[in-house]
Amino acid sequence: MPKRTDIKKILIISSGPIVIGQACEFDYSGSQACKALREEGYETVLINSNPATIMTDPGMADHTYIEPLDADFIERVIAKERPDALLPTLGGQNGLNMGFFLSRAGILQKYGVEVIGADANSIERAEDRDKFKQTMASIGLAVPESGIATSVEEGLALAEKVGFPIILRPAFTMGGAGGSCVYNLDELKGALEYALDVSPLKQVLVEQSVLGWKEVEFEVIRDCKDNVIIVTSMENIDPMGVHTGDSIVVAPAQTLTTEEFVDLENWCKKIIRAVGINGGGTNIQFAVNPQNGKIVIIEINPRVSRSSALASKATGFPIARVAAKLAVGLSLDEIVNQVTGKTYTFFEPTVDYCVFKVCRFTFEKFPEANPILSTSMKAVGEAMSIGRNFKEALQKGIRSLEYKRFGLGADGRDVPFELSGDSELVKQKLIYPNADRLFWLRYALKNGMTNEEVFEHSKIDPWFTNQMREIVEMEEKVAKHKLSTIPDDLLRAAKKLGFSDVQIAHLTQSDEVEVYNHRKKKGILPVYKLVDTCGGEFNPMKPYFYSTYDDDKNECRATDKKKVIVLGGGPNRIGQGIEFDYCC
């Protein structure tokens, strides 16, 4: 279908100030929306109160307002600019909520503004916990046993019916704000009061816990012709009970059976149609019982999300740009993929590598904060890594966090043996999710714990544990040699598993520079591979690259032109965030 000609001017509401769970990923989506709509000839109006953003640069939107993101100020802008449509799905939860509440208050109708991308009814079916539950039941998809509370008294009564532990999920919040896992009545009253206070609707889902189940996500896109594609799957290494924003996430999903994967993809298509999104994307989160494969749906985000940003970079598929163009009536088979320059976005990405999102925490700045991870997000930033296999990508991701860790241990920064060898302490660190749980999992393996025992304490899938066991086994093989005697094949194998020169130096009692010079002399050097969305089937125009030691085929496109290298700010942290993305 051709793009719509009955709308000329489009209002975009941004995510506003950075908060945990809502940071530069929404500057990314908002900026992409401004660019995509301009490409199609639309006039754009942007409202954002955050000055340190790319989207608020002069020239990104046609009209930029630095104003508070509340209904009164937005109505003033609407009255002045008289936009034809509002696009609320590319400004995070804040933009989505404002679009919904402006519609519900009659302000959009008053000025004749149409909601595009996801209308108010679609947003309500996804975000209102009661409507969401009804919508999923209408297509036969199970949800955990639950009930809706709009008061503390209702919540207490529901908890007795559902049984502990329970999960509290406030409606219309971001990053799990106000959510919690509650184990007894003593904790429940205060948790309910807080959850109700945080929810703009004063509504909380009191839900049966599925702690320990696998958490799997899908990025799904639908256009106005009812074409639906799956951009990618993602799997949380931490099981249910840890917010996905705090969990290490790997794409594509690794531990699903073929039957489970096909079932989940089919459910995704039914869900996006039932919710009613017909010009954009959604993030869908499932829980899968590791014992019997039972599937329940946890929630969906009817907008471009944090996971969408990861999926975009993991696959090369520009979700935010595509979502903006779908919102104005184009279909997937009419939008050219920017990366390939040849394929259309009805072409599902092909991923022949492994991608990690690894979270950065800043608990050292808040020594009295509870470091146990739960359903309310605590991470302040993240890094993404790409490798040819799970182990390489994992170790690259860990050292990308700039914690001065150089892989999964064996880097001279492990805790003293009196701690790492304390079996009871190790068990506690596995049972209670924390920012360093992967390192404690390594200590458990070095202490002789089996994959099954690790699962018993952490509920981390044994496949993931076995991958980490292979890292530990390689570590032990390397440690048997000096740098001068290590076989070339072993050194190359260690690099393929993501071992850094610092780790190899620590294990061979040498130093990093010596390791670098030694492997350079032996010809053990990285090559660079393309992220091109299509697994090498087309020659892409605008790919990006990742390093690997997997083979000798270099796909880098270096030229003899003079160049300048620009170093970015790395993962967000307190004091270093979106403003440095803006600088670059």
Side-chain angles (χ1 to χ4, degrees):
M1 294 179 69
K3 66 188 177 189
R4 292 179 59 173
T5 57
D6 57 328
I7 55 178
K8 307 292 184 184
K9 184 186 286 190
I10 299 172
L11 173 65
I12 300 170
I13 302 175
S14 78
S15 58
I18 290 175
V19 295
I20 287 178
Q22 191 161 268
C24 52
E25 58 269 24
F26 297 111
D27 185 41
Y28 165 73
S29 59
S31 299
Q32 289 292 306
C34 291
K35 291 169 65 177
L37 295 173
R38 174 166 285 184
E39 285 174 9
E40 299 300 332
Y42 294 98
E43 189 177 357
T44 53
V45 180
L46 173 73
I47 305 177
N48 192 353
S49 58
N50 186 345
T53 58
I54 297 168
M55 71 169 78
T56 52
D57 248 18
M60 187 63 76
D62 294 292
H63 313 277
T64 302
Y65 288 82
I66 307 292
E67 295 287 357
L69 297 180
D70 65 39
D72 289 340
F73 281 95
I74 294 173
E75 183 177 3
R76 291 186 210 175
V77 172
I78 290 173
K80 181 176 185 297
E81 292 287 348
R82 302 309 292 259
D84 302 300
L86 166 65
L87 181 58
T89 55
L90 286 103
Q93 190 69 39
N94 216 354
L96 191 77
N97 288 357
M98 288 308 306
F100 174 77
F101 290 118
L102 287 167
S103 178
R104 200 164 99 155
I107 293 172
L108 299 183
Q109 294 85 334
K110 175 181 175 182
Y111 295 96
V113 180
E114 179 186 351
V115 180
I116 58 176
D119 62 23
N121 291 331
S122 298
I123 295 170
E124 188 171 31
R125 282 191 287 269
E127 294 288 335
D128 182 291
R129 296 298 183 178
D130 196 28
K131 295 282 189 355
F132 171 73
K133 187 176 177 181
Q134 293 172 20
T135 303
M136 295 304 101
S138 73
I139 59 173
L141 181 55
V143 297
E145 185 180 347
S146 62
I148 306 299
T150 56
S151 68
V152 172
E153 291 71 28
E154 287 179 357
L156 292 170
L158 281 167
E160 290 195 20
K161 178 183 175 184
V162 171
F164 290 99
I166 58 170
I167 304 293
L168 300 183
R169 299 185 187 277
F172 285 87
T173 63
M174 178 71 192
S180 59
C181 183
V182 182
Y183 292 87
N184 55 59
L185 278 171
D186 292 338
E187 301 173 354
L188 183 57
K189 184 178 178 183
L192 279 167
E193 288 174 346
Y194 180 57
L196 288 164
D197 182 60
V198 167
S199 170
L201 278 189
K202 307 304 176 190
Q203 181 199 85
V204 178
L205 185 72
V206 179
E207 182 179 83
Q208 172 194 21
S209 168
V210 287
L211 291 175
W213 290 28
K214 295 180 187 182
E215 184 168 3
V216 184
E217 304 176 56
F218 285 81
E219 286 297 322
V220 190
I221 290 179
R222 182 180 180 224
D223 67 16
C224 56
K225 289 182 179 177
D226 196 30
N227 296 314
V228 178
I229 65 167
I230 310 295
V231 177
T232 190
S233 61
M234 293 168 279
E235 184 171 0
N236 291 228
I237 289 183
D238 288 301
M240 290 296 301
V242 175
H243 190 278
T244 185
D246 285 349
S247 183
I248 295 175
V249 177
V250 59
Q254 303 288 307
T255 73
L256 298 174
T257 66
T258 301
E259 184 179 356
E260 288 170 343
F261 193 86
V262 170
D263 283 348
L264 288 169
E265 282 198 323
N266 288 335
W267 279 122
C268 285
K269 294 172 183 178
K270 291 178 182 178
I271 290 164
I272 197 169
R273 288 173 172 135
V275 170
I277 294 171
N278 61 0
T282 186
N283 169 258
I284 304 177
Q285 298 174 21
F286 296 98
V288 180
N289 189 326
Q291 306 300 329
N292 56 24
K294 179 182 176 182
I295 295 168
V296 297
I297 186 166
I298 302 303
E299 64 181 5
I300 73 171
N301 293 306
R303 55 175 169 77
V304 176
S305 66
R306 184 187 322 100
S307 295
S308 306
L310 170 66
S312 294
K313 305 298 169 61
T315 62
F317 187 101
I319 292 175
R321 175 179 176 269
V322 171
K325 295 199 173 197
L326 294 178
V328 294
L330 290 170
S331 56
L332 287 163
D333 56 339
E334 294 173 318
I335 304 170
V336 176
N337 188 319
Q338 278 184 314
V339 174
T340 66
K342 301 178 179 67
T343 62
Y344 289 84
T345 54
F346 199 11
F347 187 106
E348 288 189 345
T350 302
V351 177
D352 57 357
Y353 44 83
C354 192
V355 179
F356 267 91
K357 179 215 76 178
V358 189
C359 302
R360 182 182 171 98
F361 299 89
T362 317
F363 288 118
E364 70 276 7
K365 294 213 172 189
F366 305 97
E368 295 184 14
N370 184 354
I372 293 175
L373 306 181
S374 185
T375 58
S376 184
M377 186 175 165
K378 296 179 180 179
V380 296
E382 59 196 36
M384 187 181 105
S385 62
I386 311 177
R388 295 297 283 181
N389 58 67
F390 180 97
K391 296 173 279 288
E392 180 184 38
L394 173 62
Q395 297 219 82
K396 286 175 71 176
I398 290 170
R399 56 181 173 268
S400 297
L401 291 173
E402 298 169 24
Y403 279 147
K404 298 184 179 177
R405 296 306 306 255
F406 296 91
L408 188 67
D411 56 359
R413 299 185 67 86
D414 291 326
V415 301
F417 179 73
E418 56 264 27
L419 298 177
S420 66
D422 183 337
S423 60
E424 287 305 314
L425 177 60
V426 171
K427 287 178 184 177
Q428 291 301 306
K429 293 291 187 179
L430 292 180
I431 291 169
Y432 297 105
N434 58 85
D436 294 324
R437 185 153 69 163
L438 278 188
F439 299 107
W440 288 97
L441 193 155
R442 171 177 168 271
Y443 301 144
L445 297 178
K446 291 184 75 67
N447 291 344
M449 196 176 286
T450 66
N451 295 353
E452 291 70 28
E453 287 172 323
V454 171
F455 176 76
E456 180 185 342
H457 296 304
S458 68
K459 302 305 179 188
I460 291 174
D461 190 279
W463 189 90
F464 293 133
T465 302
N466 200 58
Q467 292 289 304
M468 290 176 242
R469 183 180 295 281
E470 291 178 14
I471 293 174
V472 172
E473 289 171 351
M474 176 59 72
E475 169 193 327
E476 292 169 350
K477 290 177 184 177
V478 172
K480 293 177 181 177
H481 298 274
K482 298 292 185 183
L483 183 60
S484 59
T485 62
I486 188 170
D488 292 355
D489 287 349
L490 181 61
L491 181 57
R492 187 181 298 275
K495 296 301 290 184
K496 285 184 177 182
L497 267 58
F499 278 81
S500 64
D501 289 351
V502 171
Q503 288 172 291
I504 293 168
H506 176 76
L507 293 167
T508 59
Q509 299 176 20
S510 55
D511 68 42
E512 182 183 3
V513 175
E514 288 177 326
V515 173
Y516 171 76
N517 289 332
H518 178 80
R519 65 175 177 78
K520 186 177 180 182
K521 181 180 176 182
K522 298 290 185 178
I524 302 172
L525 298 170
V527 296
Y528 290 86
K529 298 289 187 181
L530 293 169
V531 171
D532 60 6
T533 84
C534 55
E537 293 182 37
F538 297 90
N539 189 27
M541 292 173 57
K542 298 178 181 179
Y544 51 98
F545 303 89
Y546 65 95
S547 64
T548 181
Y549 289 81
D550 189 62
D551 60 36
D552 297 327
K553 185 181 177 185
N554 200 334
E555 298 173 355
C556 180
R557 299 177 177 180
T559 68
D560 293 330
K561 294 180 180 179
K562 291 185 176 181
K563 307 175 185 73
V564 175
I565 190 166
V566 178
L567 301 180
N572 278 10
R573 68 209 74 180
I574 291 174
Q576 187 164 304
I578 194 172
E579 61 272 21
F580 298 109
D581 188 39
Y582 169 79
C583 293
C584 289

